[in-house]
Amino acid sequence: MEDGKLTVRAVERALDILLCFTQAEDLSLTEIASRVELHKSTVHRLLASLEGKGFVIRDPASERYRLGFSVWELSANLTHTDDPALLLLPEMERLRDVLGETVSLYVRDGMERVRVQAVQSNQAIRRVAPIGARLPLYVGASSKVLVAFAEHAEQEALLSHATWPASSRNEAYQQQLREVHELGYATSVEEREPGAAAVSAPIFDRSHRLVAALALSGPSNRLTVEMMKEHAPALLEAARRMGKMLK
């Protein structure tokens, strides 16, 4: 019974830590420990568990914590107007209607990207994009956007991570990232999936913090390189509008 009580107490403390973020976007270990009135060593262990499950994210540069994308995954069936996945849905539908292809919203979660929202194309042959899908961060247009526009320290940490493929650490990949940053968007043709192509642009909030990658995807025989270049201005403009909707 005592072990059960300790387990419940740990859960309550972890939830108290998560609730700290109802009043702040990011917090340091010291600030969290002060708010929940626990020793920093205890809070550090709990944060490590929460980070491992994706409920918090630690910024390696500032050593501050913020909510992770597992919170978004849990809230998939809620209707909060502050949820970017729901807040940006009308703009995504508008973009789909204008360009005629599937529109997706991706966020980075550790070494993966997560599709947190999608609007399917109305065309008979289309890209089906299931919400909640986790995909590699080292391949695909949206992945390149999330890496290319990440803070320098975050990008360095990603590329030097033990799980990052050696083939994506070479000069050719680095040049791709530089080109994406210069162009403002990324493209991919059959990089992850045969017959599929995508073009993606970054969404920045009002503080110019990278929030997500907006992507347009479809069959590669329809969404050609030339067509992606033609669609890029509309995609960039939609991403800009979406960013203004976020705090």
Side-chain angles (χ1 to χ4, degrees), residues 51-72:
E51 186 179 10
K53 292 295 185 180
F55 285 95
V56 297
I57 296 172
R58 181 178 61 87
D59 185 334
S62 65
E63 293 294 328
R64 296 179 71 82
Y65 294 82
R66 56 187 173 85
L67 290 177
F69 298 116
S70 288
V71 176
W72 282 23

Side-chain angles (χ1 to χ4, degrees), residues 53-54 68-77 109 114 116 132-134:
K53 292 295 185 180
F69 298 116
S70 288
V71 176
W72 282 23
E73 291 179 287
L74 278 179
S75 63
N77 293 323
D109 185 13
V114 182
V116 295
R134 288 180 170 271

Side-chain angles (χ1 to χ4, degrees), residues 1-168:
M1 179 63 75
E2 184 63 21
D3 287 344
K5 289 181 179 178
L6 288 173
T7 302
V8 171
R9 189 176 304 138
V11 172
E12 290 176 344
R13 288 173 170 177
L15 292 174
D16 285 340
I17 288 173
L18 290 176
L19 289 172
C20 288
F21 294 94
T22 60
Q23 298 177 345
E25 182 177 334
D26 61 354
L27 294 165
S28 68
L29 172 61
T30 300
E31 289 170 338
I32 295 171
S34 175
R35 292 185 183 212
V36 298
E37 299 180 346
L38 291 172
H39 291 296
K40 286 200 290 185
S41 59
T42 301
V43 173
H44 186 268
R45 288 195 298 272
L46 292 168
L47 283 168
S49 295
L50 290 169
E51 186 179 10
K53 292 295 185 180
F55 285 95
V56 297
I57 296 172
R58 181 178 61 87
D59 185 334
S62 65
E63 293 294 328
R64 296 179 71 82
Y65 294 82
R66 56 187 173 85
L67 290 177
F69 298 116
S70 288
V71 176
W72 282 23
E73 291 179 287
L74 278 179
S75 63
N77 293 323
L78 298 180
T79 56
H80 291 258
T81 56
D82 287 338
D83 183 345
L86 294 172
L87 185 66
L88 302 180
L89 184 56
E91 282 292 331
M92 294 176 66
E93 291 174 336
R94 186 175 296 112
L95 186 64
R96 183 271 315 275
D97 293 342
V98 170
L99 300 183
E101 301 290 358
T102 295
V103 178
S104 300
L105 190 68
Y106 292 93
V107 297
R108 182 171 73 84
D109 185 13
M111 302 300 294
E112 298 176 305
R113 56 183 165 114
V114 182
R115 186 182 290 117
V116 295
Q117 187 61 278
V119 180
Q120 308 293 348
S121 167
N122 291 324
Q123 301 198 53
I125 300 175
R126 59 188 176 182
R127 229 14 250 302
V128 177
I131 296 173
R134 288 180 170 271
L135 303 168
L137 194 60
Y138 51 82
V139 65
S142 297
S143 291
K144 284 184 276 191
V145 162
L146 292 171
V147 176
F149 290 95
E151 294 292 333
H152 181 71
E154 288 183 272
Q155 187 180 112
E156 288 292 313
L158 288 170
L159 299 183
S160 61
H161 196 276
T163 62
W164 196 269
S167 60
S168 295

Side-chain angles (χ1 to χ4, degrees), residues 144-216:
K144 284 184 276 191
V145 162
L146 292 171
V147 176
F149 290 95
E151 294 292 333
H152 181 71
E154 288 183 272
Q155 187 180 112
E156 288 292 313
L158 288 170
L159 299 183
S160 61
H161 196 276
T163 62
W164 196 269
S167 60
S168 295
R169 294 178 184 173
N170 56 29
E171 177 57 30
Y173 181 76
Q174 300 278 354
Q175 180 60 30
Q176 278 191 59
L177 294 181
R178 288 191 288 270
E179 290 174 357
V180 168
H181 202 278
E182 184 177 341
L183 280 173
Y185 66 92
T187 61
S188 65
V189 179
E190 299 187 337
E191 288 186 9
R192 189 184 62 84
E193 183 181 338
V199 55
S200 179
I203 297 177
F204 298 99
D205 64 15
R206 296 178 190 175
S207 300
H208 204 68
R209 181 176 65 90
L210 178 64
V211 175
L214 179 67
L216 186 76

